[in-house]
Every structure is written in C-alpha cells, then in structure tokens.
Amino acid sequence: MKTYNCEFLCVGGGVGGLMAAIAAGKKGADVIIAEKADTRRSGSGANGNDHFHCYIPECHGTDTERVYREIGSSFDAGPWVDMELTKVWIDRSFEVIQMWEDMGINMRPTGVWKFEGHGMPGQQLYNLKFDGALQKSCLTREAKQQGARILNHIIIHDLLADKDGRLAGAIGVDISEEIPETVMIQCEAVLLATGMVSRMYPSITPAYMFNTPCCPATTGDAQAMAYRFGARLVNMDMLNGHAGPKYFARGGKGTWIGVSTDIRGNTFTPYNSKPSRATGDITADVWPTCYRDRLKKGKGPTFMNCTETSPEDLDYMLHTAMVSEGIDSITDYCEHYGIDLSSDMVEFGTYPIMMGQRGIEIDTHARTSVPGLYAAGNCTGNVNGSLCGAAVFGMTAGEDAADYVKNTKDISRIDPADIQKYEDLYQDLLSRSDGAHWKEAASSLQNIMNEYASADQQSEDMLNAGIEYMRQLKANCYKELGCSNSHELMRSLEVLNMIDLSEPIFLCSRNRKETRGPHVRCDYDFTDITLNGKFQTIYKERNGTVHMDYRYKR
Amino acid sequence: MPPIIDVKKCKACGYCAEICPLDVLYLNKQIRKLIVRYPEECWHCKACVKDCPVNAISIRYPLSHMMLHFPKEGLK
C-alpha cells in the first residue's frame, strides 16, 4: 500500500479540484490532487468549454440586484439552487476570469468581452464566449506552480475517519499499472469534486453505456462517499438530464446556432423564429424536457434546425465554437457522414437522467455538513455546478480549507485496522477473476433506476420495490463481482458507488409525497403548497439511521 | 471501434494512454505497442487525437452513435 500525507486533499482534478488546489496552495497549504484519469484532459471539461456564465461589471453595469435576478432565473441557475450561493458565484465570477486570463486561458478570443448563447428574452447576456480548449492543461500547470502534488490514475473510493470519528483521510486505488495498488492519504481536509453521475441510468443508446452527454467517467463517487461519511445531500429527488443530438450524445447545446423546430421547419415556442448567434436557441433553456415531452405527446420528432443560419455563422459554429467547447467530434461526424447543416436538420433528444447539480449540500464557503469536508462543481446539490460554479466554489473551498487546516492539527492517525476492510474488498474482487463482470452489475443498476426511480412517473409501490431490488443487487455484487486488473477494479468500484448513491435517490423520492417539477408521482398527483420554496435534504449517521428533512431555500 | 492508431506513425510514447479520460488506451511496454483496449468505453472526446505528438490517431464514429438528421425539404 502506498501512503501519502498532506493537509488538503482534492478528490477529482476537474475545474473545481484544480481551482481548490490553486487557491489553497496560494495560502500555503500542502495539497494533493487525486484524479481518476489525468488532470490535463479529464472529466466533462476535458477538451474545453466556451460558455462562462458570469458578471463583468464593465459589461453588465453596477445594478447587481438586476444581475442576481436575471442570472438567478436563468437555465444555469435553475429553481433548485440557493440564492445565497448563486450570489457568491456571480460576485466572484470576474475574479476567476481575470485569474484564468493570467494563466493563459483565452477568455477574449476576439479581443473584447463577448457574450453568446443561453440568452433569455429581455435580459442581458451573461455567457462569456471564450476558448477553453486548453483550460485543463493551464489549470494543471498553475496548480503545480502553487505547490500541489498531482496523483493521476488514482480512484479515491472512500473517506476515512480517525478514532474520534473526524475526517482524517481517504482511501483508494492506484490504477496506473496493470496490478492495482491500494493508496491511503492522510489529511486534515478534503474537497470532493468528481462531477455528476453520468452512468446511473441507461444512455440514449442503452447497449453503449458510455454514450453520454457529459464525461462518462463521472460516476457520482463524491456524492456516494459524502453520503457514506454522513454529509448532507440535497435535491436528490429532482431528477434531471441534458439535451442534444440523437443518438450521438453530446452536451454543449448552447453552442448550436439554430432553432428548435418540427419536421416541417416550424418553431413551437414564442422565443426564437430565426437563428441568433447572440442568444442561441433558448427553447430547451426555457423548456428543458421539450424534446422528450413532444415525443410523448406525439409531436415529435424535434430538430435543431440550422438551415436558416448564415454560412459564416455555420462555419464559426462548426470550426471555432465547437472546438473551444470541446465538442468538435460533432463537426467530424457531420463531415464524415456528409451531414450538411445548411440543408439537414439534426434531431435532438432529451437525454436520460445524469443528476448534475443534485448532491452534496454546501454553504457559501463550499463547506459540507461534515467539518473539514468541502465540495464543488456538479457533485453539489444546491448551486450551479457547471463551469463557473465549479471554478468559484472550488476556489472558495481552497481558501477556506487552507485556513481550516492551520487550526486543525490534532487529527489522530488512521487506525490500520480501518484500512483492512478496504484491502479485503479489493482482494475479494481481484480474486474472482472469473466472477461477474462490472458491466453486468451496471446493466442491472441502470435497469432498476430507469424503471423504479423513473423520470416519467413514480409511486410508493415501485419505489419500495426498487429499494429492495437495489439491496439485492448490492448483496449480489459483493458476492459475485470479479476483476482481472486495475481498470476493471476501477469500473467495479464506480458501480458500487452508484449503487450506494441510489439509496438517497429512492428514499427522497419516496418521501416527497407530491408532484413537483421533474418529480412526478402517480399516487400523489398534486403539488403540496406547504412544500413551496423548500428543498429536501438527507443524511445518514454512521450507525445507519437516515434523516430526511425539508428546509427553506436560502 | 474508435480510436484508430496509425501504426506507421505511432512512436508508442504512451502519452495518449496517459491522458485518455476513460482509460481506453493501453501501452504494452514489453512490445512497445499502443493498444485500444476498451473501445466500447470511448467517449469520442478526441483528447488523444488532439494531443498525439505525431498525429497518429483518428476516431471512427460507430454506427451505434448515429446522429439522426432529416432534410429540411422533406423526403424526395
């Protein structure tokens, strides 16, 4: 077993983890980043982003109340966020932009601040068009310059406590070689930032489970670890997903310059009738499930229609904007298969559930309910977790953690006996080289989630059955799963994490006895106004007692 | 299935295997050969294509990931 010591461990080397490491490093903290892949090209921001949702005073004016109101009501914020956190994100967004520019990330490809896409009717534009193609390598370089040690190809699997039950480290597996090696990291504070949950529900092409709009390496490891360690989760009953081309799953809808239409080219919302490079197509921002809803009502198919887009804008979209966003596989696909967007409409679909921005509850300093444990990005459940939110709350977490570790020097060593159960689990899995493949378990997980914690309609009977089936699956996995190498062990641990994460989804869904937004109950087909303005939270004590509560949106 | 390695160009430096977000690629150090080991786990993100120092990698987009499209002028 390899062991490491540091003050602050960042689990996940995405935008949130790297920003936390940079911020903590600047304040003198000893930081390790543990990343499942390689921080230079990992996660949903691996190859870029091109919308940085932000407030730049020289562009948007000094009326911050207007900015809070407009961004707070936008697609990126959504109804399931705390306004006190949204204000932090807005207030500090320009600081991040200036920092990124200093790191060499091209925030002004045209030389001026330019805003495009995700425009809401009658509002200012807040999505900065930048070139994020090299964002991860720039952030990685900066994290190293600030003294962070980066451990790539390590999956952190669980959090560890000292003898008094306080957060004291984490355990995982080094998968860089064929034979895995257990890794234990002792520290005083931990940031969890591993993104959303891309593979808990079947993909849009169920036979190919890695065909997901955001990076399929994001498997809810942070949320599962937080739940097992007793941290509070929030909004786990509000299932959500993304939209984009069928059957080539890819995020970045805001980069398309076109309009959503039916097969005859007719629009169906009052917003866009002509393509606009400035606002983009806002149909799915206003009505996120429109493609699925229209299909179910017999009004499909629905298309992203770029046939009225100017040749200049089409060229810009395919060869500049999609490259900056890191989704130029769409460009390649169109060119290879002869899709001419000036005459061909691309059918769009609502993708299956991926639980972004549903997860760990944080405060304005990115602290979770567990002392020393922080979270940022799409694994958090009460603030925008995509690019800008991940960056701001990663930075906030790093700053706060650097102060926290200075005042927390009495954490005990981790008891080696606590490590043994993990070593035993890994050895069990590796010893069954002819055991069940992780894909078998993943398939059952996805089927159960899809039918028993459905995005379409739920009931107490179905949820109860799903809870029982998931317990059976978990027991079967611990008895039957087998791995022949590091890669398969990583995939198996991911599935086990997603199985654990199903518990708060099922329990919160069962406990919300009403129909609201994406939560549709056939046995409670009314909206309970006593729950207006409230979020549901859940946490589990180490003894297994689960607590669920509703609290007001802050 | 993707990605496709041009063995004439590939120097087996292993960089693509290091940075692949999905651990699809594997460098067999004994025979110094790059192997596409888990093709069904490819996300088609092009990280390997973009970072290969000798442009030895291309992506094949599988038939399963068909991008549905329809002519605006309707069926002919």
Side-chain angles (χ1 to χ4, degrees), chain A residues 221-277:
Chain A
D221 302 332
Q223 298 90 318
M225 281 188 269
Y227 185 61
R228 287 194 295 261
F229 205 74
R232 194 178 292 119
L233 309 186
V234 62
N235 290 323
M236 297 303 287
D237 41 6
M238 291 297 147
L239 307 181
N240 67 343
H242 218 307
K246 283 170 73 175
Y247 294 109
F248 189 90
R250 199 68 20 168
K253 186 194 65 61
T255 301
W256 289 77
I257 304 171
V259 288
S260 292
T261 71
D262 65 14
I263 200 166
R264 294 176 189 80
N266 299 317
T267 57
F268 53 86
T269 62
Y271 304 112
N272 296 51
S273 56
K274 289 185 176 169
S276 161
R277 187 160 152 179

Side-chain angles (χ1 to χ4, degrees), chain A residues 176-239:
Chain A
S176 58
E177 300 292 335
E178 185 75 357
I179 308 296
E181 187 173 4
T182 305
V183 173
M184 196 269 280
I185 302 173
Q186 176 119 22
C187 57
E188 277 92 39
V190 175
L191 168 85
L192 296 173
T194 66
M196 52 185 71
V197 200
S198 281
R199 287 191 277 121
M200 200 164 190
Y201 284 77
S203 84
I204 197 163
T205 51
Y208 293 88
M209 54 178 78
F210 286 72
N211 188 18
T212 57
C214 294
C215 183
T218 58
T219 49
D221 302 332
Q223 298 90 318
M225 281 188 269
Y227 185 61
R228 287 194 295 261
F229 205 74
R232 194 178 292 119
L233 309 186
V234 62
N235 290 323
M236 297 303 287
D237 41 6
M238 291 297 147
L239 307 181

